[in-house]
């Protein structure tokens, strides 16, 4: 997606160790018009998978997932990292490594909002090693829901996440694919 | 706002100790169409304050703030609860009590995205005691930004937050006001 690629070229910042800073339009400050365009594009790409729910992980998945769900006209559920007192006693919980914090974090979904038979489209900001998305897959599977597609704003293809998700045999789409990042620049693939 | 009031009547759940569970449409599962309508309504209400930025707190403020920013056509910044490694070393940080977790949490904004002279509209899910919104006010003031308005989806007027914010002398609007909650029901004000 050209608009996102241009934004990454202009404002994205490679910090070393595989980390791309996109805090000015996705992860801290958010560009709402760009997120809406991305949501619209995901809704177009996944129009045929008949998703009944979009699933993402707090925090930075919320903006693209919300916009996608808006255009697919389905609810979005974001997995929580801590269990608020409003959640029931028994929940689905799994763990995932946090890429930018270097620790394991919990991801928790209430059975109230993820049920057997749901058709789940996973949307997240990054597809890197795939570990966060795999955690969301486990939550959906624990609930007896079916994964019908996976979308990420930005794929870092050199981290191999797509390969880790292939066994699911569902469509996987990223809006922008980065093949390589180093001190000389950010290099996009197809 | 009628649609939000109806949703609260249908799906909101009073859990005792002043806590209203709205996990099915705001805080865990999100109703994107409803959030968009709320954002549109905030954009209408605050059309004249000339906000240059919407500010909110992760996590549950993100959906309404994003939709408001979308309709005002300005960026949205969400204060983070932990400092990711993508943030600069020096940041604005304040603390706020978490209503549903019973602990103090940090709220952090990078000086990159909140600067002197910005006109900040604060949008959050709840206006209760006002402590989270006051924390956002402190962050904006630390940055030398000006608060130009405060909006909340749901006000719990019995917790006195509006009074705590009055000294700011800016427009404060909630889309739905709850005057009282107990085992017999949720009672709305004007």
């Amino acid at each position: 997606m050209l608009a996102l690629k241009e934004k990454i070229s202009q404002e994205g910042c490679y910090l070393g160790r595989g980390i791309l800073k996109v805090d000015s339009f996705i992860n801290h400050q958010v560009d709402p018009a760009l997120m809406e365009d991305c949501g619209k594009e995901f809704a177009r790409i996944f129009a045929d998978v008949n998703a009944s729910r979009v699933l993402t992980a707090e925090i930075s998945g919320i903006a693209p997932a919300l916009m996608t769900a808006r255009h697919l006209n389905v609810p979005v559920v974001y997995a929580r990292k801590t269990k608020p007192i409003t959640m029931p006693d028994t929940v689905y919980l799994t763990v995932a490594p946090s890429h930018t914090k270097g620790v394991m974090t919990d991801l928790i979904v209430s059975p109230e909002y993820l049920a057997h038979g749901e058709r789940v489209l996973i949307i997240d900001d990054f597809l890197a090693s795939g570990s966060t998305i795999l955690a969301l897959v486990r939550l959906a599977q624990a609930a007896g829901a079916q994964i019908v597609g996976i979308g990420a704003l930005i794929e870092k293809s050199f981290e191999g996440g797509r390969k880790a998700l292939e066994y699911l045999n569902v469509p996987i789409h990223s809006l922008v694919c980065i093949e390589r990042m180093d001190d000389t620049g950010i290099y996009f693939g197809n």
Side-chain angles (χ1 to χ4, degrees), chain A residues 16-173:
Chain A
R17 286 171 297 153
I19 293 168
L20 176 67
K21 174 172 172 168
V22 289
D23 286 11
S24 69
F25 54 104
I26 299 176
N27 284 348
H28 181 23
Q29 180 171 256
V30 182
D31 179 333
L34 180 63
M35 283 307 109
E36 170 141 38
D37 287 346
C38 292
K40 226 182 259 181
E41 180 65 5
F42 279 134
R44 189 190 64 74
I45 291 169
F46 293 109
D48 296 333
V49 302
N50 289 317
S52 62
R53 238 166 202 70
V54 172
L55 177 65
T56 191
E58 69 179 33
I59 300 144
S60 42
I62 296 176
L66 176 67
M67 289 304 192
T68 304
R70 175 72 191 99
H71 285 278
L72 285 173
N73 216 15
V74 297
V76 52
V77 174
Y78 53 92
R80 309 288 314 244
K81 290 183 180 167
T82 53
K83 183 174 172 300
I85 52 175
T86 52
M87 260 195 202
D89 292 341
T90 309
V91 297
Y92 303 120
L93 180 150
T94 190
V95 292
S98 166
H99 206 71
T100 48
K101 284 176 200 135
V103 293
M104 295 299 283
T105 53
D106 292 341
L107 284 179
I108 305 165
V109 166
S110 167
E112 298 163 295
Y113 311 118
L114 200 59
H116 186 85
E118 293 285 351
R119 297 177 59 85
V120 172
L121 171 62
I122 293 176
I123 297 288
D124 207 358
D125 55 344
F126 279 99
L127 167 55
S129 70
S131 53
T132 302
I133 290 174
L134 280 169
L136 293 172
V137 167
R138 291 193 298 276
L139 289 173
Q141 288 172 340
Q146 186 189 346
I147 307 296
V148 296
I150 294 168
L153 295 177
I154 304 170
E155 180 174 355
K156 297 193 276 190
S157 61
F158 53 91
E159 293 201 30
R162 184 176 288 267
K163 203 154 198 78
L165 297 168
E166 247 171 18
Y167 80 98
L168 291 164
N169 207 18
V170 298
I172 302 170
H173 290 282

